[in-house]
Amino acid sequence: MIWNETIECASRDEMMSIQSERLIRTVQRVYHNTPGYRAKMQAKGLVPGDIKSIEDISNLPFTEKTDLRDNYPFGMFTVPMSEIVRLHASSGTTGKPTVVGYTRNDLNMWSENVTRALCMAGVHQNDIVQVAYGYGLFTGGLGLHYGTENLGATVIPISGGNTQKQIQLMQDFGSSVIACTPSYALYLAEAMREMGVDPKSLKLRVGIFGAEPWSENMRKEIEAQLSIKAIDIYGLSEVVGPGVSCECEHQVGMHVNEDHFVPEIIDPKTLEPVAPGEVGELVFSTITKEGIPIIRYRTRDLTRLNYDKCECGRTLVRMEKCMGRSDDMLIIRGVNVFPSQIESVLLEMSETEPHYLLIVEREGTLDVLKLMVEVQEQFFSDEIKELEALRKKIRNNIQSTLGISCDVKLVEPKTIERTAGKAKRVIDNRKI
């Protein structure tokens, strides 16, 4: 099912015409209502009249997370607070949180985009959607909630955590869709095994997973353990929240709702656009938001774009699953390492659990990468030789795949902390 066929199947010329009209209007809005944007444009010698079409977007200045924090809490808003009907904010783990405000039209637009995403995932009106993303200032829970209601499906607003209750409600209420982080989905599968619940006895058929990077191998693991189709959804609070893009049932890239969110790919070092099809940093401009429009926001996520028409019939541009972030990429002795690469290696091995922790230390002048990984119960043996052989196997697999040595520590199942939210995968002690 396609929710909005006129837009989702529009020709490239039609889409660019929509984008041009909306970008021009947005640039005028931010120039006249946000001093920070006006100053940035003036520094580049730009006035709103210089932006005549979507092809001029690369002339505009970038926005970074620091811009939102420097203007905390409401300095980036383009409407008076009397028109803001909801506030969300990031977790603020470093410095002040980033605050975003929504007008009533913004909330309606957001719901429309999440509903499109749900339809891409194969969700329909007769589904019962269990939303296990966190509710509150985090955009995940409420974003999926309102999109589900807009679709006309049934929503279970359980939020994150309370794992046994999650599974009980799946059994009692007949949940057919689960929405949560991918790491929590694996935790649910683990808890089901402990409770003696066979996932195949449930009505679950689709999972909508986002809020953290995850690999194709992790997708296979989730699909195998929960007997569902695992769909990747993408969003970030600074742009709107979940629903910026989502995979369809063909799982060949996330369709971007580009009539609202215009994507670009840039080289994170030169900040120049990359050639079509090349990997680079994802940049988004919002072209319909009223409360806090964002121009050329640097997401730090690394991906590439594909403008080919999808098998599903949608012509919306697709972004590949994010390969990591330009700002949390680990550089170990000159080698670029993403946690998702380590995860992919581990998930190809039958002996390990999909729970791990990367620890980076500086010993003298050298950076050392340490990996703590859980071993499946049947492979955790008192035989030192067997464990040592497994440790070497993991180390060699990482060495051959990533080209970097790694100190591997094997731990028993359930040693590494579980969380209902984003999994903590990296501890970088070089910064301490």
Side-chain angles (χ1 to χ4, degrees):
M1 180 176 74
I2 296 178
W3 181 253
N4 188 335
E5 191 168 351
T6 302
I7 293 295
E8 295 180 69
C9 300
S11 70
R12 184 51 36 193
D13 285 345
E14 289 170 332
M15 180 58 69
M16 290 181 69
S17 176
I18 292 169
Q19 291 175 331
S20 294
E21 179 187 333
R22 292 177 174 181
L23 176 66
I24 290 168
R25 194 161 58 234
T26 297
V27 169
Q28 291 171 343
R29 173 185 284 272
V30 299
Y31 185 89
H32 293 297
N33 294 286
T34 311
Y37 273 126
R38 184 163 57 250
K40 282 191 172 194
M41 287 180 64
Q42 288 174 341
K44 294 193 74 171
L46 288 173
V47 294
D50 295 328
I51 306 303
K52 296 178 171 60
S53 78
I54 195 65
E55 294 177 341
D56 296 325
I57 196 168
S58 60
N59 296 328
L60 290 164
F62 291 105
T63 306
E64 307 208 29
K65 190 179 283 282
T66 51
D67 292 313
L68 281 82
R69 289 184 174 145
D70 290 346
N71 287 280
Y72 176 89
F74 309 138
M76 298 283 283
F77 289 10
T78 60
V79 298
M81 285 303 295
S82 59
E83 295 182 31
I84 296 292
V85 298
R86 192 194 299 170
L87 295 171
H88 280 283
S90 69
S91 57
T93 52
T94 55
K96 292 177 180 177
T98 55
V99 180
V100 288
Y102 301 77
T103 65
R104 195 167 300 282
N105 286 337
D106 289 338
L107 291 182
N108 290 337
M109 175 272 288
W110 187 14
S111 295
E112 153 81 11
N113 283 286
V114 176
T115 302
R116 288 187 200 174
L118 290 166
C119 290
M120 290 173 192
V123 181
H124 49 70
Q125 284 187 327
N126 295 325
D127 275 311
I128 297 176
V129 181
Q130 188 160 322
V131 179
Y133 286 111
Y135 280 63
L137 290 178
F138 172 64
T139 55
L142 285 167
L144 266 294
H145 181 116
Y146 281 92
T148 300
E149 288 187 342
N150 189 53
L151 174 61
T154 302
V155 63
I156 304 173
I158 188 170
S159 191
N162 207 351
T163 302
Q164 289 193 339
K165 175 68 79 174
Q166 299 268 5
I167 296 167
Q168 180 190 335
L169 293 188
M170 289 177 192
Q171 294 175 303
D172 296 347
F173 291 180
S175 309
S176 53
V177 180
I178 179 72
C180 63
T181 61
S183 55
Y184 189 57
L186 285 173
Y187 184 39
L188 284 168
E190 185 179 84
M192 286 179 194
R193 289 195 296 272
E194 291 178 358
M195 294 169 64
V197 175
D198 182 357
K200 292 181 180 176
S201 70
L202 304 174
K203 293 184 178 178
L204 278 185
R205 59 182 185 82
V206 177
I208 300 174
F209 306 122
E212 63 187 17
W214 52 302
S215 62
E216 282 299 322
N217 281 330
M218 191 169 188
R219 186 209 299 276
K220 293 174 187 174
E221 190 81 11
I222 292 170
E223 292 187 334
Q225 291 197 28
L226 288 177
S227 296
I228 60 173
K229 177 165 276 194
I231 298 293
D232 200 353
I233 190 171
Y234 177 89
L236 58 168
S237 60
E238 296 89 343
V239 175
V240 75
V244 172
S245 67
C246 188
E247 287 180 326
C248 67
E249 294 173 276
H250 293 282
Q251 298 170 305
V252 286
M254 290 173 277
H255 294 276
V256 179
N257 287 313
E258 55 178 322
D259 55 320
H260 297 281
F261 318 109
V262 179
E264 300 173 77
I265 302 292
I266 64 166
D267 182 315
K269 293 180 180 177
T270 67
L271 305 185
E272 293 297 322
V274 302
E278 284 190 8
V279 173
E281 182 183 326
L282 181 62
V283 170
F284 271 115
S285 297
T286 67
I287 52 174
T288 56
K289 280 177 69 177
E290 295 176 342
I292 179 170
I294 296 290
I295 299 293
R296 303 195 80 199
Y297 183 74
R298 295 187 61 189
T299 69
R300 307 291 177 168
D301 289 322
L302 298 177
T303 185
R304 76 177 99 217
L305 298 178
N306 180 355
Y307 284 88
D308 294 339
K309 184 177 179 179
C310 182
E311 290 179 65
C312 70
R314 292 177 179 86
T315 53
L316 295 172
V317 64
R318 283 170 285 155
M319 54 180 275
E320 280 189 10
K321 183 182 280 291
C322 292
M323 303 164 192
R325 287 174 57 84
S326 62
D327 60 350
D328 70 2
M329 176 178 70
L330 295 170
I331 303 177
I332 311 295
R333 299 189 294 279
V335 179
N336 296 341
V337 179
F338 291 106
S340 57
Q341 293 174 306
I342 301 284
E343 177 185 286
S344 187
V345 171
L346 294 176
L347 285 169
E348 287 176 354
M349 303 180 64
S350 60
E351 301 94 337
T352 57
E353 295 280 359
H355 301 287
Y356 65 94
L357 187 64
L358 290 171
I359 303 166
V360 189
E361 307 275 3
R362 178 156 286 164
E363 297 181 359
T365 58
L366 290 178
D367 293 334
V368 177
L369 179 63
K370 300 179 180 181
L371 169 65
M372 184 184 294
V373 59
E374 291 184 9
V375 178
Q376 289 195 14
E377 194 85 53
Q378 65 267 37
F379 293 104
F380 203 89
S381 165
D382 289 333
E383 290 287 334
I384 294 176
K385 284 184 178 179
E386 290 183 16
L387 287 176
E388 179 61 19
L390 176 57
R391 193 180 72 81
K392 286 182 177 178
K393 180 181 176 182
I394 294 170
R395 188 182 63 195
N396 290 341
N397 286 356
I398 290 173
Q399 172 79 46
S400 62
T401 303
L402 277 70
I404 188 169
S405 60
C406 180
D407 181 11
V408 177
K409 180 181 180 183
L410 305 179
V411 297
E412 293 184 72
K414 301 174 192 170
T415 301
I416 295 170
E417 183 183 3
R418 308 294 198 263
T419 174
K422 295 185 181 183
K424 184 171 181 62
R425 300 296 198 197
V426 179
I427 297 175
D428 192 342
N429 290 327
R430 295 174 298 179
K431 299 174 184 175
I432 296 173

